[in-house]
Amino acid sequence: MFDINASVMQFLLAFIVVAPLLGAVAALLPAPPGLKGRNPDQAVLRHGVTVTGAVLLAALVLAAGFDHDHPSTMQATTDISWIPALDVRIHLGTDGISLPLLVLTALLTFLCALHSYFKPPGGPSPKAFVALVLVLESGTLATFAVLDLILFFLAFEMVLIPMYFLIARWGGDRKQPAAWKFILYTLLGSVVMLLGLLLIGVKSGTFDMVALATDNGRGLTTSVQVIAVLAVGIGLAVKTPMWPLHSWLPDAHTAAPTVGSVLLAGVMLKMGTYGFVRILLPVTPDGMRTFAPYLAAFAVVGIVYGSLACLALARPGAKGDLKRLIAYSSVGHMGFVLLGIATLTPTGVNGALFANIAHGLITGLLFFLVGAVKDRYETADLDTLAGATGAALYGRAPRLGGLLAFAAVASLGLPGLAGFWGEMLTLFGAFDPAEGLSRPAFLTFMAIGAFGTLLTAAYMLIVVRRVCMGEHSEQPHPVADIQRHELAAWTPLASLTVLAGLWPAVLLGLTDPAVQKLLAGGKS
């Protein structure tokens, strides 16, 4: 830990949230003559790399200056009155729960900008593309940094329009229906969520998330808490996405460009589960205790459903799209996150937060890799990739094939890699749930979740066998292996997947004290 002045930490957090927004505005302005270069489109893509790089650097300095001895304390806080009549404040801060998500978001957005610079997006103006990515980054970072319910809702909604246009304008086949489905599902869920947030604020007399967490629901009756959890939970569950509110996700991922898929899976899905941990667990504990068994039941159904859908897509003759398969795998992986939250125990919630980060790293890498395969073979259809003139990556592009196999085994939860710890801690949490929850029911959920890990291993290994193995003599044209810019974009994700798997204490040391305080009602 570096000793950084508190005011500098405040500035860094505010910069991380605001800089992408200012960068988005700058991207739409005419470039100064000296920055245009020979190619104005390349200049604006370089601008995207510069802004996201500056945000990532600020996030790393913030993490270095973070007081790791007190991760349960809100740090780098800013608290300014914004709308006095409604007692809405510009309240920012970070602790051990939100800091890893801030760094993950900054990292993935920078890697997406780097990818776009070397492989410019087709379709409309790159100016609009860069501006949308930066607005999306600002909204996501704000979601993890704000400590006011109204600001949380505004940041939560801020990401919807950029993602809609990224899918609708730069997407692939059936991009318009997928974009409309995405926006309608998430907007309808958000309307219900807003009603729940307003109910909490009006009944408790404050929208301040720190004050609400410290009060731990004592200012809200049980019936108000139950209604609030139902309303807010629906909006968060759509974004997570929880079965059966998930059906927008496979279409969105299949149609989205590579950058859109990476950001959607890597950071946007985390906004829903973060809301459960940051808002519902500490603010409405009685309501969460009422709904915990139902949340766990939906979670394990999602785990098995997502895995079975992936198995169906992976079988020969199914014409399964590889991007669609990974999207369904996200339904299963986020099911583990929801199961951990539903246990209401430090072990389970820590497992959920760890699985959140692991999923962002591994699935972000998977979507990068699938995008590269699709670029090389002009298809993501598994039957085509596994056909007589199919991918056979081990023979044609061994480094690409090896990295795809690495990401696949990380996704199935191989011990020693990041995916293992989140699933294991979640299942441990279900083995011994919080007091007041039915242990036989959660033991059943644990068994179903464990069965889901076997199904995950089955479909991931099938994908590796079909895409990476096989004869390659009939390939009509050579296939490029991993390029330098791809290696630069993918190496951090692969390295962090190994680091988190071998040294989980780095992440758990941040989250555990904050989770303990959260579940204890704000008491250290």
Side-chain angles (χ1 to χ4, degrees), residues 4 18 52 56 63 88 167 174 198 219 223 259 261-262 278 285 315 341 375 381 411 478 486 492:
I4 298 179
V18 175
T52 56
L56 174 59
V88 177
I167 297 171
R174 295 186 56 77
L198 291 174
S223 59
V259 166
S261 291
V262 171
R278 176 64 75 202
R315 77 178 193 278
I341 293 169
D375 289 339
D381 179 75
S411 183
E486 293 174 330

Side-chain angles (χ1 to χ4, degrees), residues 34-291:
L35 295 179
K36 283 184 178 178
R38 294 182 180 177
N39 187 339
D41 289 348
Q42 192 178 46
V44 76
L45 292 169
R46 186 167 59 243
H47 168 77
V49 175
T50 303
V51 174
T52 56
V55 171
L56 174 59
L57 181 62
L60 293 176
V61 174
L62 180 71
F66 187 82
D67 185 355
H68 292 259
D69 294 329
H70 301 92
S72 62
T73 303
M74 280 295 170
Q75 301 178 34
T77 54
T78 299
D79 192 1
I80 305 168
S81 179
W82 183 35
I83 308 176
L86 298 176
D87 194 28
V88 177
R89 308 182 68 80
I90 298 176
H91 193 182
L92 305 177
T94 185
D95 63 358
I97 292 172
S98 57
L99 182 65
L101 290 166
L102 289 170
V103 176
L104 175 67
T105 301
L107 173 64
L108 282 175
T109 314
F110 170 71
L111 297 181
C112 285
L114 195 64
H115 175 273
S116 301
Y117 178 74
F118 287 101
K119 184 169 178 52
S125 163
K127 277 179 171 285
F129 180 87
V130 170
L132 289 169
V133 169
L134 291 174
V135 172
L136 181 64
E137 179 182 32
S138 181
T140 310
L141 290 168
T143 302
F144 299 138
V146 298
L147 297 173
D148 182 276
L149 290 181
I150 300 300
L151 277 185
F152 176 86
F153 176 78
L154 294 176
F156 199 83
E157 295 304 287
M158 185 176 165
V159 303
L160 301 185
I161 300 303
M163 183 54 71
Y164 167 81
F165 281 111
L166 285 174
I167 297 171
R169 301 295 298 277
W170 286 271
D173 296 337
R174 295 186 56 77
K175 58 187 179 183
Q176 292 291 347
W180 275 111
K181 197 171 185 179
F182 162 76
I183 200 76
L184 288 175
Y185 263 77
T186 49
L187 276 178
L188 288 173
S190 298
V191 169
V192 182
M193 184 177 78
L194 177 61
L195 296 176
L197 294 175
L198 291 174
L199 176 66
I200 292 172
V202 169
K203 291 295 185 180
S204 61
T206 181
F207 290 101
D208 186 271
M209 290 157 66
V210 176
L212 287 166
T214 304
D215 189 58
N216 200 220
R218 286 183 285 272
L220 300 172
T221 64
T222 301
S223 59
V224 167
Q225 290 189 36
V226 168
I227 295 170
V229 169
L230 184 61
V232 177
I234 287 174
L236 297 174
V238 170
K239 188 70 73 76
T240 296
M242 181 184 78
W243 181 92
L245 302 174
H246 69 284
S247 61
W248 62 269
L249 184 73
D251 291 341
H253 269 309
T254 305
T258 297
V259 166
S261 291
V262 171
L263 293 176
L264 182 57
V267 294
M268 277 187 64
L269 303 190
K270 314 301 175 280
M271 294 164 65
T273 50
Y274 174 78
F276 275 103
V277 175
R278 176 64 75 202
I279 298 173
L280 294 185
L281 278 182
V283 177
T284 55
D286 294 337
M288 279 297 290
R289 197 169 291 109
T290 300
F291 278 106

